[in-house]
Amino acid sequence: MMEKIRAKWPLIEFLLISLAIVIAFLPMYVVYSQKIAITICLIILELINIAYYFFKEKVTKVFDFLIKYRYLVALILFIILVIFKVSGSSIGVHNNYFPSEGKTSESEVLLGESREIRSDEWMVHTPYYFSQYYNNYQKNSNFMSLSGQDMIIGYNAPIKDISLLAKPLTWGYVFLGNEYGLSFYWCLKIIIFTLASFEVCMIITKKNKALSVLGAFLISYAPAMQWWFVPHICDVFLWGTTLLALGYHFFTAKKRWLKNLCTILLPLAACVFVLALFPSCQIPVGLIAITLLVVFLVRDKNDITFKKKDIFRIVFMAILALIILGYTIIGSKEAIELLYNTAYPGKRVSLGGDYTLDKIFTNLTTLFLPYKDSNVLNNCEVSTFIHFAPFFLMLFPLMKRKLKLHKDNNLLVGKTLFIILIIEIFFMLIGIPETLAKITLFSYINRMDIVYGFTATLFTIYMIYNFFKYKDLVTLKQFIIALVIYLFCYLLFINKENLLYMPIYIYLFEIIVFGVILIAIYNRRKYFSLSLIFLLLVISSFTINPIRLGISPIEDHELVKACQKLNEEDEGYFLTTNNIQISSLLLANGVKVVNAVNFYPDMAKWTAIDKDREHEYDYNRYLHFMITLSDDNKTVYNLLQNDLLELELSLNDLAKWKVKYIVTPTNIEELNWDKNIVSYDYIENIEGYRIYKLNWRN
């Protein structure tokens, strides 16, 4: 029986993968409206599978060709995508607030849909970047505050100074404008991330191309990375991975041009990594990158090409990095101090011990988050990496002796990743004392689950590589015991919330697929196992961010055009009320909005209405704030959540901000305002939003 299966396995494999491709695209076809695009994608994958079955050698040659010339292919792809203004932005959410305007905007989404939960991107990051066009890319901007915001702190926005060297993702904004700049940012980011991840996986697997391609996608397209793609979290992993790859090649490059390229790129990558300003992930990712670099170089000590003259290269890199970082950080010192002394997020202290055991596994709901919102927390918080680390952690101690017998010097990499994972798991599940947390800087790490997912993915790639390379690492009995324990844990983790989210048979099917993949890995069915893992990623991640053309949801609104016209005729600050979306939309179009998001407190604004700083705790934070107008004499502060303040603003306090225009869905004529303080001119009503011009008496 087994002999017959082995003989017919290529055909069985082909049919199973064909079926798996259809199943992978089924949820997309059900949920999304772009049926033609989904069908085309499905057909392409099916054709690749057919080609591999009938023309395996030729397909392998094409694959090798693409890998060999991957940087040229990536450059051509990047240029094409930017020409067509492709991005993954969720700016289409703006159309939810102007339903009868921008009617064609969502037709520009080729696949997927805009995600309201990604407000950090569409409501803050992108408007901040767009506003810099109108600010002439200056370092300080008064477009969202009275005292100004440092735009280095403002999601590291594009600025025309030396720091631009360390921010390649923003070059498109400065040189091509907002529409192409948005595409440049998104496309370059995912392409660099994928290439850098590929290089790291090539180092881990000692140049296993197929596994490295899978690893590149498992890292760069991990659900956690895609849900947090913009702004800071993904940046840290992107540039940490890039630093690791560049650092390794700097010490091992045999070609002078490659060493020279690494010499130029390394200090720039180091600078952009530092300027990500997200210590929660920067600290662990930095430590992991440094540790793995040392381990890689120890393993490959015979490949090191470092010579005495390379000391001058290191000196050059250090000087260049210090110049850029010194200029940037010293110039932004005051803003950085304000940020890190905020009540949120600056004063968060993490001691660990606040995660449950299921967090070390891939969350069973992760695969379905693009199609149905989570019923616990939000999609971003729930998302994880696709990995099999808990299973491989059980087997690794059993494999060490066999790997030693094989004299495998790559065992050092496995030991290192194993130890890192144990430290991360200990911190997540048990925690450490506050003194130790501060000494080790772990007190800053409140996103260890994401860092763990990254390490777990690297470890998964390493372990699959070993199973593909050697036949005798563990016995069948050991494998079955570990597999049963692993799958049984998944069954135990299915709780009431899960069952309210999806029916149990969905989770059972998912668990069975995990088991099938691991059995295929154990039996060294490379194409089958890697294809299934890739399809899991396609289901869970490839449509998280929409594939969008252009920026019409930001520009094509009559309200925006009316406010721009008023601003051109008589410039002044706008104030928007009763929602937190309109301020970002106006800001993105070059309109100064006094209540746009602030990364750190705009003290000129707050001290004007709170001289004694009685309410400092409410506004000393990264802050969205929603304003309602009041005819009472006192302003009322209501902190709704860590980053959202509701402000019932009195006329007396509004007068201190000298706002010139108000955009509001309410009728301010119903307010009993003192006409000796202010009068107002009603301008027009657009889409339910009234525009008023204020005339202050003094």
Side-chain angles (χ1 to χ4, degrees), residues 4 41 75 93 135 142 190 242 284 322 355 365 472 491 509 580-581 657:
K4 289 183 178 180
C41 292
L75 177 61
V93 173
N135 191 41
N142 288 92
I190 190 59
T242 303
L322 286 173
Y355 294 92
T365 64
D472 59 345
L491 289 174
F509 180 75
I580 58 174
Q581 290 82 21
W657 287 355

Side-chain angles (χ1 to χ4, degrees), residues 346-441:
K347 298 202 174 190
R348 290 182 289 184
V349 176
S350 179
L351 303 178
D354 47 359
Y355 294 92
T356 52
L357 184 62
D358 60 304
K359 294 298 182 183
I360 69 171
F361 291 72
T362 293
N363 192 312
L364 286 173
T365 64
T366 290
L367 267 64
F368 313 107
L369 295 176
Y371 318 105
K372 184 178 180 181
D373 288 341
S374 172
N375 60 337
V376 292
L377 300 176
N378 62 56
N379 292 18
C380 305
E381 300 287 350
V382 173
S383 63
T384 58
F385 284 71
I386 305 295
H387 64 81
F388 304 98
F391 172 77
F392 289 128
L393 282 169
M394 288 187 281
L395 292 182
F396 181 75
L398 303 173
M399 294 168 45
K400 287 197 300 181
R401 187 176 65 84
K402 292 287 182 70
L403 289 171
K404 285 181 181 178
L405 292 176
H406 286 293
K407 297 181 180 180
D408 192 315
N409 64 351
N410 208 26
L411 177 59
L412 180 61
V413 174
K415 288 180 178 179
T416 303
L417 289 170
F418 181 84
I419 292 170
I420 292 172
L421 284 171
I422 295 302
I423 293 171
E424 292 171 348
I425 291 171
F426 184 88
F427 181 79
M428 291 168 65
L429 302 183
I430 299 174
I432 59 178
E434 184 172 352
T435 302
L436 181 59
K438 289 183 177 179
I439 292 173
T440 59
L441 301 180

Side-chain angles (χ1 to χ4, degrees), residues 332-347:
S332 301
K333 182 181 177 183
E334 184 179 346
I336 292 172
E337 288 178 351
L338 282 170
L339 178 65
Y340 283 101
N341 283 298
T342 53
Y344 171 86
K347 298 202 174 190

Side-chain angles (χ1 to χ4, degrees), residues 128 143-144 583-584 587 593-598 605 623-625:
Y128 258 61
F143 276 75
M144 66 291 295
S583 61
S584 64
L587 176 66
V593 188
V594 74
N595 60 311
V597 175
N598 291 161
K605 177 166 60 192
L623 192 64
H624 299 260
F625 57 105

